[in-house]
Amino acid sequence: GAMGGLGLALGLWRRQAALAAAREDEEEKELRQRFMAPPVSGLRELRRRRRELRSRMELLIMETQAEVCRALTALDPGASFAVDSWERKEGGGGISCVLQDGEVFEKAGVNVSVVSGLLSEEAARQMRSRGKSLKAKDGKLPFCAMGVSSVIHPKNPHVPTMHFNYRYFEIEEADGTKQWWFGGGTDLTPTYLNEEDAVHFHKTLKEACDKHDPKLYPKYKKWCDDYFYIKHRGERRGIGGIFFDDMDSPSKEEVFQFVKSCAKAVVPCYIPIVKKHCHDSFTPEEKLWQQLRRGRYVEFNLVYDRGTKFGLLTPGSRIESILMSLPLTARWEYMHTPLESSKEAEILEVLRNPKDWVH
């Protein structure tokens, strides 16, 4: 009877294994539908380590990418995202989704990258300059970095450009201790000022922050205004939003939940503004002003942006993905000054003297 029992047990085990495999296939299919492409770390690995923060963060950035791409495609049905998965020979890779030359969006990119390996002294020095002391073994630091970042450049000058980025960084020091921190933000760059939109945008971000601590929004709003400052022009890149970096307290879990709230606020803070204005009529002069403002965007990204600088310094990094934030078109005119009390002068005033939008 023992053999029969064994046969029964074996049959049962086989059936369970088949069920488990089918369940895994279902999950794979569901996740594929949920994301723009299979995740860099692979679904099996993510599932195996699903309790680890690294895996949860990777799932969050994948979800954010898909959510944003779907929301944009819904507004620009004729256009579609080119989905490009890439690998980095030093470790990791990413997924770039880029929509070009749509009806509504001239260029929209939503990038995910999950990279690991050894940090160069140069890149580590750039971090140390922000007060992180890191003890390297033989001048090299094992690191893992992941994030989602996006820049959306619409065609219509009455629809603002939007940028967001949420990222997680982990470094292992010589003695095995791990340093980790989160960074990110969401900010808006209109060509023309619309007060109602500015208030909606800031309010939505403030609500996301307030869920965690009412002190966060004012602090990160100021940080955003200070960070996106084009020193040589004496003006901000846009009307701000929130920005933070090196965030490593109160606890990993709490910071992760905060970042999650911010990522979930991206679609509601921006998409209604696009919907509202994407069919507004505009003049050739207004289009010209948009092109000049885009020129400023490029100046900031190439001269000051830390993410761009870090990317360009990281060996094996993907230049196309780093420069994805640049608009398809922009202009630099010699000595262009808008007329006093014009709509163009109005936005410049706000860029020179940031406003409090929510109070």
Side-chain angles (χ1 to χ4, degrees), residues 166-214:
Y166 290 99
R167 57 193 180 277
Y168 172 69
F169 221 99
E170 206 174 80
I171 285 181
E172 199 175 319
E173 295 189 79
D175 59 4
T177 50
K178 279 187 179 163
Q179 290 213 20
W180 58 270
W181 62 91
F182 287 89
T186 303
D187 61 281
L188 197 69
T189 307
T191 300
Y192 287 99
L193 185 63
N194 179 304
E195 296 251 349
E196 213 178 88
D197 298 345
V199 171
H200 165 81
F201 183 79
H202 276 270
K203 260 202 171 127
T204 310
L205 294 178
K206 181 183 187 294
E207 279 163 23
C209 293
D210 286 355
K211 267 197 241 166
H212 301 269
D213 183 347

Side-chain angles (χ1 to χ4, degrees), residues 91-157:
I95 300 148
S96 298
C97 297
V98 182
L99 183 158
Q100 262 177 176
D101 258 333
E103 291 286 301
V104 177
F105 303 107
E106 185 175 292
K107 186 172 169 198
V110 193
N111 248 358
V112 156
S113 65
V114 179
V115 299
S116 55
L118 296 169
L119 206 55
S120 69
E121 273 293 347
E122 174 61 36
R125 203 176 307 130
Q126 207 197 327
M127 293 187 172
R128 284 203 187 93
S129 71
R130 311 204 306 256
K132 287 265 173 209
S133 63
L134 303 163
K135 299 179 283 294
K137 193 163 43 206
D138 319 321
K140 290 282 185 210
L141 288 155
F143 81 102
C144 124
M146 59 179 72
V148 55
S149 67
S150 168
V151 178
I152 298 157
H153 292 290
K155 279 203 166 144
N156 194 314

Side-chain angles (χ1 to χ4, degrees), residues 57-100:
M57 181 65 179
E58 188 170 344
L59 286 170
L60 174 66
I61 62 182
M62 292 293 298
E63 256 157 41
T64 306
Q65 180 183 50
E67 253 167 54
V68 173
C69 289
R70 285 198 190 108
L72 297 176
T73 317
L75 294 178
D76 205 341
S80 63
F81 277 93
V83 179
D84 208 0
S85 295
W86 49 272
E87 268 175 40
R88 179 173 168 273
K89 67 173 194 304
E90 295 83 354
I95 300 148
S96 298
C97 297
V98 182
L99 183 158
Q100 262 177 176

Side-chain angles (χ1 to χ4, degrees), residues 12 29 33 95 98 124 133 141 164 166 169 185 237 272 275 294 297 315 348:
L12 197 66
K29 219 162 62 199
Q33 284 162 351
I95 300 148
V98 182
S133 63
L141 288 155
F164 75 88
Y166 290 99
F169 221 99
R237 187 179 77 175
K275 265 197 184 125
R294 293 245 191 95
Y297 205 91
L348 281 182

